[in-house]
Amino acid sequence: AQSVTQPDIHITVSEGASLELRCNYSYGATPYLFWYVQSPGQGLQLLLKYFSGDTLVQGIKGFEAEFKRSQSSFNLRKPSVHWSDAAEYFCAVVPGDTGGFKTIFGAGTRLFVKA
Amino acid sequence: EAGVTQFPSHSVIEKGQTVTLRCDPISGHDNLYWYRRVMGKEIKFLLHFVKESKQDESGMPNNRFLAERTGGTYSTLKVQPAELEDSGVYFCASSQRRYGLANNEQFFGPGTRLTVL
């Protein structure tokens, strides 16, 4: 069955430090990959997505993610974290085609930012 | 362009009562999805409408949940009778016609937080 693993339940980084959130997926083919963010009291906001082509994708708010087929990973990065980045981050896949179009989410990683 | 809207934003009910959640998708989006996140666990798929038809309802937990999308526009999700374990956040998403995944990106609503006491 398709699944998404976010191994870190929570991460704390200092403001200005770099960030990497890990995501691994389990699916035979290359799915369509997404990162969402949910700030307190807010809905899900799409940060970036990967469908095909360049494996390094740029998103909003200075985030980027790199798709690595050999590792079945789609890690999210930001070179310098701001206090406003404190939120919960979800990696997600949509298998597509015969795998279906429902979104499969990871469990989420909660990011804390310290001054 | 208005995004996906959900009503109410919060609902607090007692066990055994009925609650109806509403989702208004982006205008023109044929696909509508319901998801929920229960007590800090992962967000899980409930069902998928294409227009007014249920394309996939494999995630519906039991027959206390009833989803409808009359006329292929807005959708309702009714829980009757509600149980304690139904508490969580219910998300709705919509996407355009399925002729290429680039056009099938799902846009999520802000969610309805349901608390069953």
Side-chain angles (χ1 to χ4, degrees):
Chain A
Q2 303 108 0
S3 66
V4 178
T5 301
Q6 293 181 248
D8 303 306
I9 297 173
H10 54 80
I11 282 181
T12 301
V13 299
S14 298
E15 191 170 16
S18 63
L19 170 71
E20 182 170 33
L21 302 183
R22 296 181 291 166
C23 172
N24 292 90
Y25 64 90
S26 171
Y27 185 61
T30 299
Y32 302 93
L33 298 158
F34 304 83
W35 274 98
Y36 292 90
V37 61
Q38 186 178 25
S39 300
Q42 304 295 313
L44 290 170
Q45 182 180 23
L46 179 67
L47 282 176
L48 47 76
K49 59 194 177 195
Y50 174 77
F51 291 162
S52 64
D54 191 346
T55 56
L56 183 64
V57 292
Q58 303 297 319
I60 61 171
K61 304 185 179 185
F63 286 92
E64 66 177 26
E66 185 172 13
F67 167 62
K68 293 185 177 179
R69 184 190 306 274
S70 61
Q71 299 176 18
S72 296
S73 70
F74 189 55
N75 293 349
L76 181 71
R77 301 195 294 249
K78 186 169 184 178
S80 177
V81 168
H82 187 263
W83 64 267
S84 61
D85 293 324
E88 191 161 19
Y89 293 79
F90 296 93
C91 181
V93 304
V94 175
D97 298 321
T98 58
F101 287 90
K102 61 188 177 188
T103 303
I104 300 167
F105 289 89
T109 297
R110 185 169 293 279
L111 173 65
F112 297 94
V113 181
K114 60 182 182 181
Chain B
E1 177 183 277
V4 177
T5 58
Q6 293 187 245
F7 182 83
S9 57
H10 294 83
S11 180
V12 180
I13 62 172
E14 294 190 349
K15 176 183 172 181
Q17 289 185 321
T18 297
V19 64
T20 300
L21 312 180
R22 172 170 169 146
C23 168
D24 286 78
I26 293 172
S27 177
H29 281 194
D30 288 344
N31 295 283
L32 187 148
Y33 305 80
W34 283 99
Y35 298 85
R36 74 171 180 176
R37 190 181 193 198
V38 176
M39 295 306 292
K41 296 186 177 179
E42 63 264 31
I43 302 167
K44 292 230 172 185
F45 166 81
L46 295 179
L47 88 160
H48 169 205
F49 283 100
V50 178
K51 297 185 179 179
E52 67 275 8
S53 299
K54 292 175 183 176
Q55 178 77 9
D56 180 355
E57 52 184 328
S58 61
M60 294 289 265
N62 52 60
N63 59 10
R64 295 186 293 103
F65 288 76
L66 174 65
E68 295 181 321
R69 193 183 182 195
T70 306
T73 55
Y74 71 90
S75 174
T76 58
L77 179 64
K78 180 189 289 187
V79 185
Q80 179 183 28
E83 298 289 344
L84 300 179
E85 63 265 25
D86 300 332
S87 295
V89 181
Y90 290 75
F91 292 100
C92 176
S94 72
S95 67
Q96 290 180 320
R97 288 173 61 89
R98 180 186 139 177
Y99 50 82
L101 191 66
N103 290 316
N104 208 45
E105 177 183 333
Q106 295 177 27
F107 297 84
F108 284 81
T112 293
R113 181 174 295 277
L114 174 65
T115 302
V116 182
L117 303 176

